[in-house]
Amino acid sequence: MSNLTLVAPLAGWSTPLEESPDEVFAGRMLGDGLAIDPTGTTLFAPCDGELVAIPATKHAVTLRAAQGIEILLHVGIDTVGLGGEGFELHVREGQHVRAGERLLSFDLDLLAKRATSLLTPILVVEGSGFSITRRNLDREVKVGDFLMELSAAPASARPAGKGGDASAQLSRRVSVALEHGIHARPAALLAGVLKGLSAQVSLVAHGREASAHSTTSLMTLGVKKDDEVEIRASGPDAAAALAAVETALRTEKGTSTAARKAPPATPNDKVGTSSANLSTTPKAGLPSAAVTAKDAGLLRGVIASRGLAVGYTLQLTRPEICVLEEGGGVSHESAEFDRARSLVGTRLQAVAGSGPEATREIIGAHLELLDDPELVRGARAAIAAGKSAGYAWRQAIRATVDALRALDDSRMAERVDDLLDLEAQVLGVLNGNGGVPLARELPGKTILVAKDLLPSQLVALDTSRLAGICLSAGGPTSHVAILAAAMGVPVLVAMGPDLLSLTDGTAVVLDAEKGLLRVDPDRGQLAVAESELDRRRERRAADQAAAQRDCRTADGTRIEVYANVGSATEAEAAVRNGAEGCGLLRTEFLFLERQSPPDEEEQATQYQRIATALGGRPLTLRTLDIGGDKPIPYLPLPHEDNPALGLRGVRTSLWRPDLLRVQLRAALSIRPAEQARVLLPMITDPAEIRTVRGMLDEERRAIGRSAPIELGVMIETPAAAVMSDRIAAEADFLSIGTNDLTQYTLAMDRGHPELAARLDALHPAVLRLIARTAGAAISHGRRVAVCGGLASDPAAAPILIGLGVHELSMVPSVIPQLKALIGGMTLDACRELAHQALELETAEAVRALASSATTPPLNAPATPALEVSR
Ligand code: PEP
Ligand code: MG
């Protein structure tokens, strides 16, 4: 074939690419061609060929014609951000189509409103040896009209597509903001954001280049926070891919371990009990390796999950699984390899489905590794060279493990565990032992001792018999630590080799509050530990037993206690702990870590599930609070130098009212209707409330519902607190978000590790704003709650009550303890305490006051879930 004719795939006006407002198209970075300004709404095939790439966002297709020529049809400019909205596909990737066959339809009106431009580039993105010799430009075209002709180019001619043209590659240098650099979870996240796009993307750092589609390759770059990396992207969607990766690298949330950012004495309920239990990494200057205490019989370690336990040691060793090098034929080994990975994948998904959020997150990273293109390619190459599936998998894993170990970064080295875990699981299946490397019955009160532990080993253990874990190696941010914290199991890590010389059955006291393991305690030491455990157990049992009672102060003032939840499982746990309802459902959790937003039906189903789990108790559904520290990849926000002060909360919702309306409709569908309330985040003035109320009323009328739904607002900006009198006149109720209110009042980023200790919501400046808000609410007859982290802080409860806040929404696990605490205080005492606190100058002074006013002291962080006694 020497010529290829393309016919118009779309009715409209054909125009030169230079007219495109996007320099990527206008500058022919992706390839040569032309653009059509559409009047039609259906895209047809311009020639015969195979559809080789269709992104999940459905806004573009790439067609491979004869001779390997690839044509990209890209509907509109910046339409990737619509996340598929307004597009309907009529074909699937891999399908062969004939010229003139229908590919996709789109909503022209929606695109006209939301896209940067409707201009639809038709590009030859791959056409080595061909060039465009004729084009039908600057005229109206109907579908099927002649559009372009490609002819075989003389050897010296410039190729029509990007071919080997260096300009086809986009690149950008960015500084990495991910808190812990690019380790497994952010790497998996990066690979994830690229899934809907067809561009090839790589990152270059420290003189090495790694595919951004491969979690393992990314990890081997050893990128740390603030390192500069170059993003390189080529192919269709290169610009969108570049932007998506840049957004992911520039945001701090490469992991959802936000608790590590929380102020120490204020449990940050956003991340649940799991991460709240995690210790922070050791302070700079302290060795991270174990230090053997002078005191004989005492081993020190780094706290990875807080708590206290008494028990007997049992050492675990990681079994080395034998594999034969030689394979039994390429097709047999390939089939075995696929079977084993598929079985491990199914198991991991089952564990993730039933586990807490922390488990799901870790297993998600494991699933990404299991399908990692580099690992799989490496193993397949070895199988093709005659190796057994097991040998090939081990070889591929170990190559990455060696590269990670060579990095001078303890966090990367921790990720070695994840890889070895996967190695063992796949080898286990191949060897026929079921894929779980270790599932053993434990004697009661086991303190597990090991060099390190695989996440799958921990998940396979009978944790009801597990009292604690001591690791001679390991790190406080390892996945095992996160899982153990989620289970409420105390853990010390980096305890050094002496730990491994303990014989099984040695009696120990594990104090993961102080970072100590007492070996062979004498009777006195044992008695002290046992009685402390008894005390904690009794207190917890008594608090739990009384948790279903109404919460009242000692002199009878009713305090309503709600829970902050993120799922139906958490809602059930909250009710068991005595919650009177949900005071804050952070709906954005349903929108994270996915490729497109949940539609109305999915949202309605999820909300209803939570409402049902609450058994008719109020459900306060906060509208999407994205932006700032909670970006979502499929909703690229304009670049912001300071996202915390940019499009966030209700501002983002008013910027994308279509998303808000879907959410409001889903909220209105909750039954019984009176159970749901809507709460708006990041309000700064009353007009925002009026706008949303208007939308809510329209949606309500559209479904013929007469009863209004309560509309409350979060007071989490100083503006809202100062304007709370006007805001209270517009809103049905107020809920104070102390996490953001503190960040914005003290001008301290809530994610800043250096400022974390000073970012204390008990600062008198914050308390004065709370006092003002409570006063405004009361004078307008509105309910006022606190739903930020301060509500979960025992030191704060009396002060908040004294300031006039009689509704608290907190982490479910602290409800029994706080109900009991409130029951021991009088309203007058709370008022007096609040009055004094408002006159102080620092948060430390307020904490000291709170501590002196109560016995036992209230300043200890609330960690009831961690006090393990077995
Ligand atoms: C807050 O800011 O206190 C709050 C509850 O909202 P979030 O933590 O989700 O920003
Ligand atoms: Mg907030």
Side-chain angles (χ1 to χ4, degrees):
M1 186 202 80
S2 54
N3 288 351
L4 175 70
T5 300
L6 303 185
V7 296
L10 182 62
W13 187 265
S14 83
T15 173
L17 276 179
E18 286 74 10
E19 300 287 314
S20 162
D22 185 332
E23 61 175 19
V24 173
F25 295 115
R28 293 181 161 70
M29 293 177 188
L30 293 176
D32 195 9
L34 51 73
I36 294 178
D37 197 357
T39 49
T41 57
T42 306
L43 188 75
F44 297 86
C47 59
D48 296 353
E50 183 191 351
L51 295 166
V52 288
I54 306 179
T57 41
K58 300 184 279 193
H59 67 292
V61 296
T62 306
L63 181 70
R64 184 178 298 142
Q67 307 275 330
I69 296 172
E70 289 185 6
I71 322 287
L72 168 70
L73 314 167
H74 192 286
V75 181
I77 308 290
D78 285 343
T79 38
V80 65
L82 295 176
E85 200 186 337
F87 288 97
E88 189 189 350
L89 264 184
H90 306 302
V91 285
R92 56 184 158 61
E93 203 171 277
Q95 188 174 327
H96 286 266
V97 291
R98 308 298 304 262
E101 206 170 318
R102 208 162 60 123
L103 302 179
L104 60 85
S105 312
F106 52 90
D107 181 339
L108 198 61
D109 292 340
L110 185 127
L111 262 61
K113 279 196 217 113
R114 304 256 302 277
T116 303
S117 160
L118 290 170
L119 271 194
T120 295
I122 315 294
L123 303 178
V124 182
V125 290
E126 195 59 70
S128 268
F130 282 82
S131 61
I132 299 172
T133 43
R134 283 200 300 144
R135 31 190 128 199
N136 191 5
L137 272 179
D138 293 322
R139 70 193 59 200
E140 191 167 358
V141 287
K142 294 193 299 302
V143 173
D145 283 356
F146 168 77
L147 193 69
M148 286 188 257
E149 187 175 66
L150 282 91
S151 308
S156 58
R158 184 181 186 279
K162 60 184 171 60
D165 182 353
S167 68
Q169 189 174 71
L170 306 182
S171 72
R172 196 168 298 162
R173 300 191 75 80
V174 297
S175 166
V176 173
L178 299 164
E179 195 182 342
H180 298 293
I182 303 182
H183 62 82
R185 278 170 286 157
L189 211 71
L190 274 186
V193 298
L194 290 173
K195 276 218 168 112
L197 301 169
S198 8
Q200 283 306 309
V201 183
S202 61
L203 295 192
V204 182
H206 310 305
R208 288 195 303 276
E209 181 164 4
S211 163
H213 307 268
S214 161
T215 307
T216 53
S217 304
L218 284 174
M219 286 195 296
T220 57
L221 285 179
V223 171
K224 301 199 184 76
K225 185 173 189 308
D226 298 330
D227 280 358
E228 189 162 283
V229 301
E230 183 184 342
I231 313 166
R232 293 181 180 166
S234 61
D237 292 327
L242 196 81
V245 172
E246 182 180 0
T247 307
L249 291 176
R250 281 191 191 279
T251 45
E252 280 184 47
K253 192 196 169 291
T255 71
S256 62
T257 51
R260 285 179 220 137
K261 304 174 185 173
T266 308
N268 184 340
D269 46 22
K270 189 155 78 184
V271 289
T273 51
S274 59
S275 323
N277 301 349
L278 282 173
S279 69
T280 48
T281 35
K283 294 244 182 309
L286 286 181
S288 65
V291 182
T292 306
K294 294 249 166 40
D295 179 356
L298 208 51
L299 295 176
R300 280 185 198 280
V302 175
I303 301 165
S305 169
R306 294 184 171 275
L308 177 68
V310 173
Y312 302 93
T313 59
L314 176 70
Q315 192 166 154
L316 287 183
T317 48
R318 184 179 283 177
E320 181 75 7
I321 301 173
C322 293
V323 290
L324 290 178
E325 182 171 346
E326 202 163 320
V330 176
S331 61
H332 169 74
E333 296 299 337
S334 296
E336 275 295 276
F337 180 55
D338 291 339
R339 181 185 68 84
R341 281 177 43 247
S342 146
L343 197 75
V344 170
T346 312
R347 286 207 177 125
L348 286 174
Q349 263 151 0
V351 175
S354 59
E357 196 180 325
T359 311
R360 286 202 300 274
E361 191 184 317
I362 291 165
I363 301 290
H366 280 193
L367 284 166
E368 283 287 345
L369 285 175
L370 195 64
D371 285 336
D372 186 275
E374 293 298 315
L375 286 178
V376 173
R377 199 172 13 247
R380 288 205 194 284
I383 291 173
K387 306 293 181 201
S388 74
Y391 186 89
W393 181 239
R394 171 169 284 171
Q395 202 178 40
I397 294 260
R398 297 284 166 113
T400 309
V401 163
D402 290 346
L404 286 177
R405 282 194 171 134
L407 297 172
D408 184 21
D409 183 334
S410 59
R411 285 183 304 270
M412 290 300 164
E414 283 169 10
R415 301 288 91 84
V416 163
D417 272 1
D418 297 326
L419 284 161
L420 293 176
D421 192 344
L422 272 182
E423 176 191 307
Q425 292 190 64
V426 172
L427 294 188
V429 173
L430 289 168
N431 278 11
N433 80 357
V436 179
L438 177 110
R440 70 189 275 182
E441 294 257 313
L442 299 176
K445 289 189 171 187
T446 292
I447 305 279
L448 209 60
V449 168
K451 180 165 177 280
D452 52 14
L453 198 61
L454 301 174
S456 64
Q457 286 179 309
L458 179 57
V459 176
L461 291 170
D462 177 0
T463 49
S464 68
R465 292 161 169 268
L466 182 63
I469 297 173
C470 293
L471 301 180
S472 65
T477 59
S478 72
H479 285 162
V480 158
I482 295 172
L483 285 175
M487 295 168 177
V489 174
V491 181
L492 290 183
V493 296
M495 298 186 69
D498 288 356
L499 176 74
L500 302 178
S501 56
L502 295 179
T503 44
D504 284 355
T506 305
V508 288
V509 176
L510 169 60
D511 188 343
E513 307 277 356
K514 298 200 182 108
L516 297 174
L517 181 75
R518 179 161 293 282
V519 179
D520 277 330
D522 61 29
R523 276 175 187 223
Q525 289 161 336
L526 208 53
V528 169
E530 294 280 12
S531 84
E532 173 61 15
L533 278 176
D534 283 347
R535 196 185 62 76
R536 293 180 186 204
R537 192 168 24 225
E538 275 164 25
R539 200 186 63 208
R540 209 171 43 242
D543 291 350
Q544 186 72 42
Q548 298 301 329
R549 293 196 205 130
D550 279 355
C551 180
R552 291 183 191 280
T553 58
D555 50 355
T557 306
R558 181 81 167 87
I559 307 295
E560 290 179 43
V561 176
Y562 293 86
N564 297 351
V565 306
S567 65
T569 319
E570 277 177 28
E572 279 164 14
V575 169
R576 278 198 303 277
N577 278 349
E580 298 180 50
C582 163
L584 174 65
L585 171 64
R586 288 180 164 103
T587 57
E588 55 276 6
F589 286 157
L590 303 175
F591 288 70
L592 300 176
E593 311 210 356
R594 47 188 297 156
Q595 305 297 323
S596 56
D599 61 15
E600 185 181 328
E601 195 184 332
E602 184 180 345
Q603 288 188 48
T605 309
Q606 298 269 18
Y607 302 155
Q608 187 61 54
R609 222 173 259 157
I610 295 170
T612 308
L614 288 170
R617 296 169 182 83
L619 167 57
T620 312
L621 188 146
R622 183 175 73 181
T623 58
L624 206 51
D625 183 17
I626 48 162
D629 65 336
K630 296 174 238 172
I632 49 178
Y634 50 81
L635 187 64
L637 301 171
H639 173 75
E640 294 172 331
D641 282 341
N642 194 343
L645 303 181
L647 277 176
R648 258 206 72 182
V650 78
R651 298 174 198 168
T652 317
S653 292
L654 294 177
W655 178 70
R656 284 289 307 268
D658 52 314
L659 283 181
L660 177 62
R661 281 187 186 269
V662 169
Q663 197 167 28
L664 295 179
R665 285 198 292 273
L668 285 165
S669 76
I670 295 172
R671 295 291 174 270
E674 62 282 4
Q675 188 179 355
R677 305 162 175 178
V678 173
L679 178 63
L680 303 177
M682 293 296 295
I683 288 286
T684 43
D685 60 57
E688 291 162 327
I689 312 167
R690 286 193 287 271
T691 306
V692 179
R693 197 186 286 279
M695 293 162 80
L696 197 51
D697 287 344
E698 275 168 28
E699 296 299 338
R700 182 167 61 85
R701 278 194 291 272
I703 57 165
R705 172 175 157 163
S706 55
I709 185 166
E710 276 194 279
L711 180 64
V713 303
M714 296 206 50
I715 303 293
E716 48 184 354
T717 63
V722 171
M723 299 281 286
S724 50
D725 53 338
R726 300 296 178 86
I727 286 177
E730 296 288 341
D732 296 324
F733 63 95
L734 306 182
S735 188
I736 304 172
T738 49
N739 304 337
D740 277 315
L741 187 60
T742 308
Q743 119 162 309
Y744 293 124
T745 304
L746 302 185
M748 290 181 189
D749 188 331
R750 65 192 268 187
H752 199 302
E754 294 303 320
L755 299 175
R758 292 171 56 200
L759 192 83
D760 192 335
L762 278 182
H763 193 291
V766 182
L767 295 182
R768 286 179 186 214
L769 290 176
I770 295 175
R772 185 181 181 118
T773 304
I778 292 163
S779 63
H780 280 82
R782 303 287 191 244
R783 298 192 314 270
V784 58
V786 168
C787 67
L790 197 65
S792 305
D793 185 346
I799 297 176
L800 292 176
I801 292 169
L803 291 175
V805 177
H806 292 183
E807 273 186 44
L808 300 170
S809 189
M810 57 190 72
V811 185
S813 62
V814 303
I815 291 174
Q817 183 195 0
L818 272 186
K819 277 189 162 183
L821 181 85
I822 292 166
M825 314 173 314
T826 64
L827 187 59
D828 279 348
C830 292
R831 285 189 175 140
E832 178 54 28
L833 200 62
H835 178 72
Q836 288 177 26
L838 289 177
E839 295 309 314
L840 294 172
E841 291 185 354
T842 62
E844 297 80 62
V846 176
R847 286 204 176 272
L849 171 75
S851 181
S852 66
T854 48
T855 321
L858 291 169
N859 273 357
T863 55
L866 307 178
E867 294 162 356
V868 179
S869 55
R870 303 183 191 244

